[in-house]
Amino acid sequence: MTQAPGFIEHPQRPEIVGEMHLRRFPAFKLPAQVIQLVRTVDQSQSSDEQLSLAALPDQCGITGERHREGRWSSDVRASWERHSEASTITVTMTGAAAHGIGWNRPDRIDGAAALEWAETVPGYVIRATRLIVVTSNEAAGPFVETADFTQSHLVSCHVADGARIWSDFRIHKDGYGRIVIAANGLPPVELASCVQRLQELGNYRNLALLGLPVARTTWARLDEIERALAETGRALLNGDQRDDDLLTALTTHSEELLSITAETEFRMSATAAYAVIVADRLRELKAQPVKGFQSLTDFTSRRFNPAIRTCAAVSQRLALLNGRAGQFTGLLRTRIETNIENQNGRLLASMDRSARMQLRLQHLVEGLSAVAISYYLLGLISYPVKAAEHVWDGVSPTSLLGIAAPLIVLAVWVGLQIMRRRLFREGEKLCV
């Protein structure tokens, strides 16, 4: 009796362990025909895809969210697998279903039904291939002759330490690419791994190349932005445009670059990741050239590697232009801030001059005020002094007023200073 574990399991443990067992291509008997379709599926098509998967017959208990298998007969089986961006459907025909195989559509009911199901699953096919796998080079000869390969594009080489492949990697009239594989004594498990790596090489190559049209379109847009940035840089150097206009132009360039980054970042990152997988699969296949034919390595290096370098160059150029726009904007902002600081300095100097002038005027007004107040006080005092002359003999009003005048002026001046200091102290308390 199986007992439950005595520990608390991490909720993602089954998914993580299951990931290590996905992408397993089962061993098969020879001869065999393998038909595989790779699709990209939109969100709007996901529900329809699930309905198609529900129609997969005899699913053998394998009905996961990322991997399903089904059978139409003991000789015809199909598997579906969900990848990060695409899904693959692989139909394998062996035994009686593989006798009399060729490049025409299967004539047996089970094989025809499996192919019809595989072709009608929703999604956009990015790669469709038909592989015929036989025991030896001699057995492969008739299939190579009838495959209608373009000789100038024919690729043939040894892979996986013994097997040999033939393909022109072109789309034929039936919409499929064609590959012939001769096992040449390769054990079934190693042969299945070889077929899987060969298919993954082609699948990820096509997925990686989805970035090339985006890169070419983006390159033209970057040309325009680079020219506009150069013009803005010259205007910034010459100073023949207003800073506000230059800042508006640089902001527009930065917005365009950020928009392009948002549109292309996923595609360029995916292309770079797929390119790494392609390189890994090519290395694992250990392709050995056959004299008179281009090898799988030559075919991949001739066009795929330049395409990947183009995508990488677009990402690098986009980052460079983003940095350049940022530098121009930083320089312009520094110039604007310097101009503002200089303007503020001139304004403060002008305010300082005005304050000094006001202080001088204030001192002048204070002096005039002291004189005026003293004058009025002397005028008021003169009346009782003149009256005292008539009461007391010998009193001289002129002498008394002359003596009192400096004392009154001094007292008024001291009083004004005391009032001024009191006002300053009250102002400082209000500021605090």
Side-chain angles (χ1 to χ4, degrees):
M1 180 178 179
T2 304
Q3 295 181 348
F7 51 81
I8 300 175
E9 187 177 56
H10 192 284
Q12 292 180 329
R13 181 191 180 197
E15 180 181 355
I16 294 171
V17 174
E19 182 68 24
M20 300 303 297
H21 296 279
L22 290 177
R23 309 184 185 209
R24 177 183 57 84
F25 204 96
F28 49 86
K29 297 179 180 179
L30 301 181
Q33 184 171 37
V34 179
I35 300 174
Q36 188 176 78
L37 296 99
V38 184
R39 288 181 171 88
T40 59
V41 181
D42 293 339
Q43 289 292 333
S44 60
Q45 298 172 317
S46 296
S47 59
D48 293 335
E49 182 186 38
Q50 293 302 315
L51 290 176
S52 297
L53 293 175
L56 185 63
D58 189 16
Q59 297 196 23
C60 310
I62 303 177
T63 57
E65 294 183 358
R66 297 190 58 192
H67 184 211
R68 295 193 184 189
E69 292 185 7
R71 295 177 181 271
W72 276 262
S73 67
S74 59
D75 297 325
V76 179
R77 64 176 181 266
S79 64
W80 169 87
E81 186 177 352
R82 162 65 66 185
H83 305 267
S84 298
E85 191 180 1
S87 61
T88 59
I89 290 179
T90 306
V91 177
T92 305
M93 303 179 193
T94 58
H99 289 302
I101 56 175
W103 302 113
N104 296 322
R105 297 182 69 85
D107 52 5
R108 284 174 53 100
I109 296 177
D110 49 1
L115 183 57
E116 181 180 0
W117 173 83
E119 290 180 337
T120 55
V121 173
Y124 303 98
V125 174
I126 188 66
R127 185 169 187 253
T129 52
R130 299 178 67 177
L131 293 81
I132 293 180
V133 188
V134 292
T135 55
S136 63
N137 293 343
E138 292 75 14
F143 300 109
V144 174
E145 292 177 1
T146 57
D148 194 26
F149 289 140
T150 303
Q151 292 301 315
S152 60
H153 294 86
L154 183 58
V155 174
S156 183
C157 63
H158 295 289
V159 294
D161 298 324
R164 183 174 175 180
I165 64 168
W166 292 263
S167 180
D168 59 0
F169 294 103
R170 298 178 68 87
I171 301 174
H172 291 258
K173 294 180 180 179
D174 58 356
Y176 289 85
R178 296 175 179 178
I179 302 175
V180 179
I181 302 177
N184 292 331
L186 203 65
V189 174
E190 294 183 17
L191 178 61
S193 298
C194 173
V195 171
Q196 181 177 9
R197 292 188 182 115
L198 183 63
Q199 285 297 85
E200 288 180 348
L201 171 65
N203 297 344
Y204 287 116
R205 181 181 64 228
N206 281 19
L207 288 170
L209 289 175
L210 286 175
L212 184 59
V214 177
R216 287 170 175 167
T217 303
T218 303
W219 194 270
R221 295 172 65 185
L222 293 181
D223 285 339
E224 297 177 2
I225 296 176
E226 187 170 24
R227 285 192 295 267
L229 267 177
E231 293 176 1
T232 304
R234 286 191 293 270
L236 179 62
L237 176 64
N238 298 332
D240 54 0
Q241 292 187 21
R242 295 173 62 249
D243 288 344
D244 290 348
D245 296 336
L246 289 174
L247 186 58
T248 300
L250 286 172
T251 301
T252 301
H253 301 331
S254 297
E255 289 174 350
E256 292 176 353
L257 289 170
L258 288 174
S259 176
I260 293 174
T261 301
E263 294 172 6
T264 62
E265 186 174 20
F266 170 77
R267 188 73 271 152
M268 296 298 103
S269 299
T271 292
Y274 292 141
V276 173
I277 299 176
V278 169
D280 290 342
R281 297 299 180 268
L282 189 60
R283 183 173 58 255
E284 292 166 358
L285 284 169
K286 303 176 184 178
Q288 299 295 324
V290 173
K291 187 175 182 180
F293 298 93
Q294 62 174 327
S295 69
L296 195 59
T297 303
D298 295 335
F299 174 78
T300 304
S301 302
R302 185 173 60 88
R303 291 300 303 160
F304 180 75
N305 291 345
I308 297 304
R309 285 193 287 268
T310 298
C311 295
V314 167
S315 297
Q316 294 170 1
R317 189 182 183 194
L318 187 56
L320 179 64
L321 289 178
N322 269 311
R324 188 179 303 171
Q327 289 175 345
F328 280 151
T329 302
L331 288 173
L332 180 58
R333 289 188 181 278
T334 301
R335 191 171 81 178
I336 292 174
E337 290 173 359
T338 302
N339 291 337
I340 292 174
E341 289 177 358
N342 293 336
Q343 184 178 359
N344 290 340
R346 291 191 295 269
L347 180 60
L348 289 174
S350 175
M351 292 174 63
D352 183 62
R353 289 193 298 270
S354 299
R356 291 178 182 275
M357 184 62 69
Q358 290 176 0
L359 183 61
R360 291 175 183 175
L361 290 174
Q362 182 181 351
H363 289 166
L364 177 61
V365 169
E366 288 176 357
L368 294 174
S369 299
V371 173
I373 294 172
S374 299
Y375 175 77
Y376 285 115
L377 286 175
L378 284 172
L380 292 174
I381 294 173
S382 66
Y383 292 106
V385 170
K386 290 178 181 179
E389 183 181 8
H390 298 286
V391 177
W392 294 288
D393 293 334
V395 175
S396 173
T398 303
S399 299
L400 292 175
L401 291 173
I403 294 171
L407 297 176
I408 290 173
V409 172
L410 180 60
V412 170
W413 178 259
V414 171
L416 289 174
Q417 294 300 316
I418 292 173
M419 292 176 62
R420 179 184 173 191
R421 290 172 183 171
R422 184 178 298 172
L423 289 173
F424 281 161
R425 285 196 297 269
E426 291 178 356
E428 291 176 355
K429 289 179 180 179
L430 291 174
C431 292
V432 174

